[in-house]
């Protein structure tokens, strides 16, 4: 299921097998030219679609993208409008997330929920440093709040571990978390939830965003406590900075799509 949820290929048409392999394609990606002039959101059966010069936007598997709300469709429409000479999927996180939901998640939502539950068993907030003391204090200050909130919501306790050795979470805690997931019946919402979970490393933070207890920015900051401590000690690498900015764009897109569907 992680394969289903991984990013779709950086093109709108899946390429034919290439004997040179995917490495060469990634070095010199072929981006399709912008072929449309007008972008419009229109009502359709089941919700809203996006038309590019009267042609409905489709997924890589040729499904017409249909959005439950107009607000969600407008987020993707804005990405199409912002493209210039070529279409660069890397600059279209809402569109890629929508493709993942339509072509992947919608086929087996239960499998995605089970993946989230497995992730919940190794949640970032439950694995604490024992040294240095400054990092220990930072983790407590930022992580204890959302962890306490989750335990109150679930009426269950998480096991806190010092170090990185895996310790299973109580079954009743995972079951209570699963009951919260059962309320999600929309593939795109579930895709956004899963994306935020993997980007932050925390199913607890993703649930806090979904429930409105934390903003995406607050959860993002919480997920980078360890990294920010390291940066304070040693400085920030330019490549790591760029990677973080790219991941935040993904996080922000997931948050915007989730809110647009609520």
């Amino acid at each position: 299921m992680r394969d289903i949820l991984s990013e779709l290929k950086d093109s709108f048409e899946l390429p034919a097998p290439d004997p040179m392999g995917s490495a060469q394609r990634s070095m010199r990606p072929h981006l399709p030219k912008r072929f449309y002039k007008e972008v419009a959101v229109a009502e359709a059966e089941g919700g809203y679609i996006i038309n590019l010069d009267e042609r409905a936007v489709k997924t890589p598997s040729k499904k017409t993208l249909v959005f439950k709300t107009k607000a969600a469709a407008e987020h993707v429409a804005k990405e199409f409008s912002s493209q210039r000479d070529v279409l660069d999927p890397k600059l279209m996180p809402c569109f890629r997330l929508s493709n993942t939901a339509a072509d992947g998640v919608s086929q087996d939502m239960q499998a995605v929920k089970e993946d989230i539950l497995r992730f919940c068993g190794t949640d970032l907030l439950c694995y604490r440093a024992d040294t240095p003391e400054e990092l220990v204090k930072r983790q407590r200050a930022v992580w204890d709040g959302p962890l306490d909130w989750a335990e109150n919501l679930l009426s269950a306790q998480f096991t806190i571990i010092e170090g990185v050795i895996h310790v299973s979470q109580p079954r009743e805690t995972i079951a209570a978390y699963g009951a919260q997931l059962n309320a999600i019946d929309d593939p795109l919402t579930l895709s956004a939830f899963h994306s935020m979970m993997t980007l932050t490393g925390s199913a607890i933070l993703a649930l806090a965003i979904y429930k409105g207890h934390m903003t995406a920015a607050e959860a993002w900051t919480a997920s980078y406590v360890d990294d920010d401590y390291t940066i304070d000690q040693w400085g920030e690498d330019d490549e790591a900075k760029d990677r973080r900015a790219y991941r935040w764009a993904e996080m922000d897109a997931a948050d915007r799509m989730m809110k647009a569907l609520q």
Side-chain angles (χ1 to χ4, degrees):
M1 185 49 63
R2 287 190 184 277
D3 290 338
I4 292 177
L5 289 161
S6 63
E7 291 181 353
L8 295 174
K9 298 283 186 181
D10 287 344
S11 65
F12 296 102
E13 300 294 334
L14 295 176
D18 181 354
M20 298 302 292
S22 60
Q24 194 174 58
R25 287 197 301 271
S26 64
M27 291 173 64
R28 294 189 303 230
H30 173 71
L31 299 178
K33 293 182 179 180
R34 173 168 172 160
F35 58 87
Y36 55 89
K37 292 182 179 180
E38 301 294 331
V39 181
V41 173
E43 287 191 63
E45 184 178 354
Y48 298 85
I49 62 173
I50 301 166
N51 286 325
L52 307 178
D53 294 342
E54 306 302 324
R55 296 170 58 186
V57 170
K58 297 182 182 295
T59 70
S61 67
K62 306 303 182 183
K63 294 179 182 176
T64 297
L65 268 180
V66 180
F67 298 87
K68 188 170 67 173
T69 67
K70 185 177 182 180
E74 287 176 339
H75 282 315
V76 178
K78 287 178 182 177
E79 292 182 343
F80 275 99
S81 295
S82 68
Q83 302 300 294
R84 297 306 178 215
D85 297 330
V86 297
L87 303 183
D88 188 350
K90 288 183 179 180
L91 303 178
M92 306 176 74
C94 292
F95 178 52
R96 286 188 284 108
L97 188 67
S98 302
N99 283 338
T100 299
D103 283 350
V105 175
S106 65
Q107 305 306 305
D108 195 345
M109 291 182 63
Q110 185 56 39
V112 179
K113 291 179 180 180
E114 289 172 2
D115 189 55
I116 294 172
L117 291 180
R118 284 191 293 271
F119 205 104
C120 187
T122 58
D123 199 282
L124 171 71
L125 273 56
C126 296
Y127 286 81
R128 306 297 180 92
D130 51 5
T131 59
E133 184 59 30
E134 176 60 26
L135 177 57
V136 172
K137 289 180 179 179
R138 291 191 188 191
Q139 289 179 344
R140 287 174 180 167
V142 179
W143 292 354
D144 283 359
L147 187 64
D148 289 344
W149 167 83
E151 290 181 334
N152 288 331
L153 175 70
L154 304 177
S155 298
Q157 300 294 309
F158 285 92
T159 301
I160 305 301
I161 304 100
E162 287 188 354
V164 296
I165 297 176
H166 173 68
V167 176
S168 298
Q169 294 295 334
R171 290 184 178 180
E172 57 269 22
T173 301
I174 301 301
Y177 188 101
Q180 296 293 323
L181 282 182
N182 287 337
I184 302 177
D185 58 4
D186 173 63
L188 187 47
T189 298
L190 187 60
S191 296
F193 189 108
H194 190 283
S195 179
M196 290 190 290
M197 177 194 72
T198 55
L199 288 166
T200 61
S202 173
I204 294 172
L205 291 177
L207 183 63
I209 299 170
Y210 174 68
K211 288 290 187 178
H213 177 70
M214 298 179 76
T215 66
E218 290 170 340
W220 186 251
T221 298
S223 73
Y224 271 89
V225 167
D226 291 1
D227 298 75
D228 288 339
Y229 173 79
T230 300
I231 290 171
D232 288 345
Q233 304 304 309
W234 307 104
E236 187 171 24
D237 171 279
D238 287 341
E239 184 177 340
K241 185 177 181 179
D242 291 343
R243 184 167 58 250
R244 183 165 172 172
Y246 177 80
R247 289 168 62 83
W248 166 248
E250 300 291 299
M251 180 77 171
D252 181 58
D255 181 55
R256 286 185 287 116
M257 293 302 282
M258 179 180 284
K259 288 178 179 176
L261 293 162
Q262 291 176 336

